[in-house]
Amino acid sequence: MKKTVLTDEQIISDLLPKKFGKWGMAWTGVLVVICLLGMFAYYRQLRYGLIVTSMRDYASWGIYISNFVFFVAISLVGSLITAVLRLTGVRWSTPLTRIAEIIAVSAITFGAIIIIVDMGRPERFYYLFLYGRLQSPIIWDVTVITTYFFISVLLLYIPLLPDMKILLAGKEKKGIYRFYSFLGSFWKGTHMQYRISKRAINILCITIVPVAFSIHTVTSWLFATTYRPGWDSSNFGAYFISGAFLVGAGAVSAAMYVFRRFYKLENYITPEHFDKMGKIVVMLGLLYLYFNVNEYLIPYFKMKKSEEAFLNGLFVGEFAPLFWSAIFGGMIIPMIILLFPRGRTPYPMFICGTMIVVGAWFKRYLIVTPTLLHPFLPMHNVPESYKHYFPSWEEWAIAFGSLAGALLVITIFVRIFPIIPIQETLTEHHQKEL
Amino acid sequence: MDTTSTSRKAFLSSIITTGLALAGCAPKKDPFELAAGEHAKASGEKVKLLSVDGEVIEVDKAFLRPVPEMPAVSNSEERRGIPGKKFVMVIDLSRCKNLRFCEKACNHAHHLHTGLNWLKVYPMDEAEHTAPYWEPTMCMHCDEPPCVKVCPVDATFKRQDGLVLIDSDRCIGCRFCMAACPYSARVFNWEKPDTLTAEEVCQPYSCETSVPQKVGTVGKCDFCPDMARKGELPHCVSACPNGVYFFGDLNEDSVTNGAETFRFSELIRDKAGYRLMDDLGTKPSVYYLPPVARNFPFEKGLENDNEKS
Ligand code: SF4
Ligand code: SF4
């Protein structure tokens, strides 16, 4: 596969975390500024109430909720790359596991945060544990998301331990060293420890699959358990999961390109990886397309009265430009590009991945908002602002702040830890040489 | 030792009192207690009264004072409901001309934030060749309430007398119930209600009066159980000059709009009463009588409509 013969020392020095360059600094700075803006907007929301948002009685959920769905969707990738591929014995994905896992952890963290932001009474958050009622899908969501978070953190942490030993080697005993040694000094790399960690990872990989399916299914049930046109669908769980797999794979494709380019990982993330990821994206895209047909065209065939205005709004009305852009830009066009081998090379993959992620974000918006703006009873005798929804600057700032926050977590993680598992790469390298 | 502990207690309580005062709320006083410096002197003028035991007694007039508001019903009682009752409402669509006195009375009684309505009157026009009519809606107090099913913290609950009420001290403002209610009955307090006096803001919330509404929580029609406890009709019912609303008890099989009283079952049978979106399975407690043989033409109501649609 690789022409150049890599020595162990070179692999290690290639993969060790690197200091931020000029661009790294600028990037981090921009993210911090966006986060601060988001925090300021949230301060205003706490002070004046949800009135600072554009949500009103009809559009009672807005981009906070669609952002939440987006985060949950993207976090599903952790289980796809790590667990599904690992369990099916796919070896080529090793360099991608940690990228996928950190995306999952930071996305699910910010998903949880954004839900608290959406609450009218965030200071009563603990009531969910004090007075929680099992019959509410929100409680199911809280349960599975917490579980998913912990499993994902463990799946990130345990494979990191052997690398921690490498990180600790030849470091001065101060600053970041303390942090590494706090996290992983107990790892001696004994045979026993390897056995235990291997078993633990296997168990986690198996448990994370049903939990991952539940987080997104339950999130879809927040909508599907209501009567509203566009949400009242028995197809919703599968539709959400297929969409989540697509956006997650898109995010990994884009991230692969970025890490490879800026961390000079050409020897580790190879064109072969892009080619294989590209094929996976196409397959997931087809799956998502299938569920979209089910979700939109079948109701359109029947055209029930309650759904008529909603569907027309999406296909030809107010939301049509956004809807078709999301369908074509976020699903069909990337899929067509990736059908060609030239399309599955790094740069086009980056473009396609980004298109899928952006399209997916707007698709989530289209799942939440149009439905709420088409209630069963007409909207009458309410202020004009109740009949439309366009997020206020506070909402944009908070939504982008949370996205920037998630990226910031990933950026800092990459600054501290190797993004490609060093030990596993070494082991595989040795196996290949034999 | 003793003195220090008392003084500490006094100190603590003074802190608490100041804290409350700073928050704008004075601690609650016993309404039966005499105000400081108030001493009643016998005037010599006697009045005859009937005691609770049925005996006639004489009391000096100076000792008489108005009965304060009855102490509020406890939260657990409010969650249980009025025993033996099953409240229903019947709305006669043939009488409505969109006067919206009901809406005003409701908003006033519950001190709703300006512009928010729990009670809404819709101009309904089902299809191209059907006749339009005015349809008042409020919370249907469903027997299978989708809003209650989804509430994560039991802030909205179903009582044994059929009412669906909200505990604003419990609500976390997730608005799931608003998404779940197919009747758009729920209204959110996006900001601090502007109609509350400082005193009302401080009064403890009651699920039965739904006052005071709190920012960041959800509100809706409560069927006025506080009025029912006093043996009076909900505000919308007594405010409507056209007698559109009938309120009553299913167990007694009677409903009244104040002026006329009907057997509920006969009224529904004779006038072909129905429920809104019954096909959803929500089992509403509000029944509608179809808009036949109308008292007013539809156009009459347009005069009172803010929004020409
Ligand atoms: S009308 Fe709406 S708010 Fe009232 S009980 Fe039914 S579902 Fe709940
Ligand atoms: S907004 Fe309040 S009443 Fe409604 S579901 Fe959430 S916690 Fe329950």
Side-chain angles (χ1 to χ4, degrees):
Chain A
M1 175 176 95
K2 285 165 225 154
K3 290 277 162 347
T4 43
V5 183
L6 292 166
T7 62
D8 284 7
E9 289 72 36
Q10 184 166 7
I11 292 182
I12 293 178
S13 81
D14 276 356
L15 296 183
L16 276 182
K18 296 185 186 60
K19 285 215 167 61
F20 288 143
K22 197 172 61 194
W23 285 111
M25 282 302 210
W27 166 252
T28 317
V30 169
L31 291 181
V32 170
V33 169
I34 301 178
C35 281
L36 288 176
L37 253 177
M39 282 192 214
F40 174 65
Y42 188 51
Y43 158 76
R44 280 180 50 86
Q45 181 179 314
L46 284 180
R47 175 138 186 226
Y48 301 107
L50 283 167
I51 190 76
V52 302
T53 70
S54 292
M55 291 186 275
R56 293 298 178 262
D57 286 348
Y58 291 106
S60 54
W61 283 341
I63 54 170
Y64 294 156
I65 295 290
S66 52
N67 211 14
F68 163 72
V69 178
F70 175 78
F71 274 131
V72 176
I74 223 165
S75 80
L76 217 62
V77 72
S79 67
L80 170 78
I81 304 280
T82 334
V84 178
L85 294 187
R86 216 188 262 259
L87 288 176
T88 44
V90 175
R91 298 311 306 174
W92 62 265
S93 67
T94 315
L96 309 184
T97 48
R98 197 162 290 156
I99 298 181
E101 233 15 274
I102 184 63
I103 293 181
V105 169
S106 73
I108 204 74
T109 311
F110 279 87
I113 292 175
I114 205 79
I115 272 298
I116 299 178
V117 168
D118 184 69
M119 285 168 48
R121 284 292 189 148
E123 81 278 12
R124 295 182 183 167
F125 180 73
Y126 67 95
Y127 283 11
L128 285 171
F129 305 99
L130 214 58
Y131 304 112
R133 292 157 82 233
L134 262 190
Q135 76 193 73
S136 167
I138 289 191
I139 299 293
W140 311 341
D141 224 8
V142 171
T143 316
V144 287
I145 283 182
T146 321
T147 316
Y148 187 72
F149 173 78
F150 283 111
I151 299 183
S152 296
V153 168
L154 285 177
L155 264 181
L156 187 63
Y157 177 61
I158 297 180
L160 203 56
L161 285 171
D163 287 0
M164 215 82 87
K165 193 167 162 234
I166 298 172
L167 286 170
L168 282 169
K171 265 258 164 72
E172 284 172 58
K173 288 195 195 301
K174 61 178 185 199
I176 195 83
Y177 181 94
R178 295 242 174 78
F179 179 61
Y180 289 145
S181 87
F182 168 74
L183 284 178
S185 60
F186 62 87
W187 181 268
K188 299 280 176 291
T190 62
H191 193 61
M192 185 68 173
Q193 281 184 327
Y194 269 113
R195 262 231 333 264
I196 297 177
S197 98
K198 209 173 155 212
R199 284 212 48 193
I201 292 175
N202 263 339
I203 294 174
L204 288 172
C205 281
I206 293 170
T207 39
I208 203 171
V209 174
V211 178
F213 272 69
S214 335
I215 58 167
H216 219 46
T217 310
V218 170
T219 302
S220 83
W221 288 346
L222 295 184
F223 306 100
T225 48
T226 70
Y227 296 102
R228 304 216 171 218
W231 291 355
D232 181 14
S233 154
S234 44
N235 188 25
F236 239 44
Y239 168 56
F240 267 46
I241 288 188
S242 65
F245 277 147
L246 178 63
V247 49
V252 169
S253 309
M256 275 161 66
Y257 175 80
V258 173
F259 289 130
R260 178 177 136 111
R261 175 97 205 276
F262 290 95
Y263 285 83
K264 309 263 175 309
L265 301 174
E266 281 84 357
N267 287 327
Y268 308 92
I269 304 178
T270 61
E272 196 197 345
H273 287 119
F274 282 95
D275 184 62
K276 291 206 162 124
M277 257 331 269
K279 287 179 183 158
I280 291 191
V281 172
V282 173
M283 187 197 79
L284 294 173
L286 285 172
L287 191 68
Y288 191 45
L289 180 65
Y290 166 77
F291 280 108
N292 269 283
V293 168
N294 277 284
E295 198 47 51
Y296 293 102
L297 289 186
I298 299 308
Y300 186 71
F301 184 88
K302 291 180 283 190
M303 237 3 169
K304 279 198 274 186
K305 190 179 168 201
S306 56
E307 312 234 352
E308 190 182 335
F310 162 72
L311 287 171
N312 281 334
L314 282 184
F315 292 162
V316 289
E318 197 184 343
F319 298 102
L322 207 53
F323 179 75
W324 294 115
S325 319
I327 292 278
F328 280 96
M331 178 167 64
I332 294 179
I333 296 177
M335 236 158 61
I336 294 176
I337 296 178
L338 296 179
L339 278 180
F340 299 97
R342 286 273 317 272
R344 296 194 294 270
T345 50
Y347 190 62
M349 278 285 285
F350 170 70
I351 298 290
C352 289
T354 314
M355 279 169 78
I356 290 174
V357 172
V358 174
W361 195 91
F362 283 103
K363 191 71 190 298
R364 303 300 177 280
Y365 171 79
L366 289 167
I367 289 173
V368 175
T369 299
T371 287
L372 286 170
L373 288 176
H374 291 98
F376 287 102
L377 293 172
M379 296 193 265
H380 183 74
N381 197 10
V382 287
E384 199 51 33
S385 64
Y386 278 50
K387 298 188 182 174
H388 306 279
Y389 171 70
F390 187 82
S392 68
W393 79 260
E394 284 91 347
E395 283 176 275
W396 285 117
I398 291 175
F400 278 99
S402 68
L403 293 169
L407 289 173
L408 194 62
V409 169
I410 299 174
T411 311
I412 294 174
F413 179 85
V414 179
R415 174 67 193 80
I416 304 179
F417 298 108
I419 190 65
I420 310 262
I422 302 181
Q423 189 61 51
E424 280 181 73
T425 312
L426 286 177
T427 319
E428 271 178 32
H429 193 65
H430 294 158
Q431 278 167 354
K432 235 173 261 155
E433 276 176 350
L434 289 179
Chain B
M1 176 71 213
D2 235 337
T3 41
T4 44
S5 94
T6 15
S7 73
R8 189 184 302 138
K9 241 183 237 159
F11 175 65
L12 279 178
S13 75
S14 81
I15 287 184
I16 292 169
T17 333
T18 354
L20 284 171
L22 280 181
C25 297
K28 236 180 110 66
K29 264 199 315 186
D30 182 352
F32 287 99
E33 220 171 67
L34 279 179
E38 221 181 291
H39 289 290
K41 288 212 179 69
S43 63
E45 207 181 321
K46 302 277 185 196
V47 270
K48 285 199 164 63
L49 293 173
L50 196 61
S51 82
V52 257
D53 314 323
E55 277 174 63
V56 180
I57 49 173
E58 259 187 4
V59 181
D60 193 287
K61 203 174 172 195
F63 296 133
L64 293 181
R65 47 184 57 255
V67 177
E69 274 288 324
M70 289 305 283
V73 191
S74 74
N75 184 276
S76 60
E77 260 173 282
E78 284 177 343
R79 284 174 174 269
R80 224 175 300 126
I82 306 174
K85 296 278 182 192
K86 175 77 181 82
F87 294 110
V88 279
M89 183 170 285
V90 179
I91 298 178
D92 189 346
L93 296 176
S94 67
R95 299 178 177 199
C96 180
K97 66 162 184 175
N98 191 29
L99 256 188
R100 292 165 56 205
F101 284 10
C102 47
E103 182 190 297
K104 279 185 210 88
C106 173
N107 293 355
H108 179 72
H110 299 105
H111 306 280
L112 299 191
H113 182 74
T114 322
L116 299 187
N117 300 314
W118 288 352
L119 202 157
K120 302 176 184 106
V121 187
Y122 294 106
M124 295 300 280
D125 203 356
E126 308 271 327
E128 205 181 332
H129 300 295
T130 56
Y133 57 94
W134 295 103
E135 179 168 67
T137 67
M138 68 278 289
C139 172
M140 303 282 147
H141 295 271
C142 307
D143 283 344
E144 296 291 341
C147 54
V148 172
K149 274 192 212 163
V150 300
C151 179
V153 292
D154 208 10
T156 187
F157 50 88
K158 178 86 182 160
R159 312 204 303 180
Q160 62 181 30
D161 57 8
L163 299 196
V164 173
L165 298 184
I166 297 168
D167 187 343
S168 285
D169 287 329
R170 178 72 66 81
C171 174
I172 60 170
C174 66
R175 311 191 291 294
F176 198 177
C177 54
M178 299 180 77
C181 170
Y183 302 97
S184 306
R186 292 178 167 253
V187 167
F188 198 71
N189 289 298
W190 299 99
E191 57 191 315
K192 263 199 199 94
D194 56 1
T195 40
L196 294 173
T197 60
E199 194 187 328
E200 280 159 352
V201 171
C202 297
Q203 105 195 26
Y205 174 81
S206 149
C207 309
E208 293 207 337
T209 57
S210 304
V211 175
Q213 285 292 298
K214 296 187 174 177
V215 61
T217 66
V218 79
K220 66 161 188 69
C221 155
D222 55 12
F223 261 20
C224 300
D226 55 319
M227 301 300 277
R229 280 201 198 266
K230 288 191 257 179
E232 288 172 42
L233 288 170
H235 299 285
C236 52
V237 179
S238 30
C240 179
N242 297 322
V244 170
Y245 299 97
F246 293 85
F247 187 75
D249 180 1
L250 196 66
N251 293 340
E252 287 170 9
D253 196 22
S254 86
V255 286
T256 177
N257 62 6
E260 306 153 88
T261 304
F262 290 101
R263 262 194 189 292
F264 170 77
S265 52
E266 280 169 17
L267 189 64
I268 296 298
R269 187 193 61 204
D270 297 344
K271 298 235 171 126
Y274 67 95
R275 303 189 287 194
L276 208 54
M277 293 181 235
D278 217 353
D279 53 331
L280 296 180
T282 49
K283 306 202 178 125
S285 298
V286 175
Y287 291 75
Y288 287 88
L289 304 181
V292 286
R294 306 208 204 162
N295 291 0
F296 309 95
F298 173 79
E299 290 69 29
K300 200 95 189 105
L302 287 175
E303 293 161 16
N304 306 312
D305 207 29
N306 302 353
E307 184 180 335
K308 308 283 171 255
S309 56

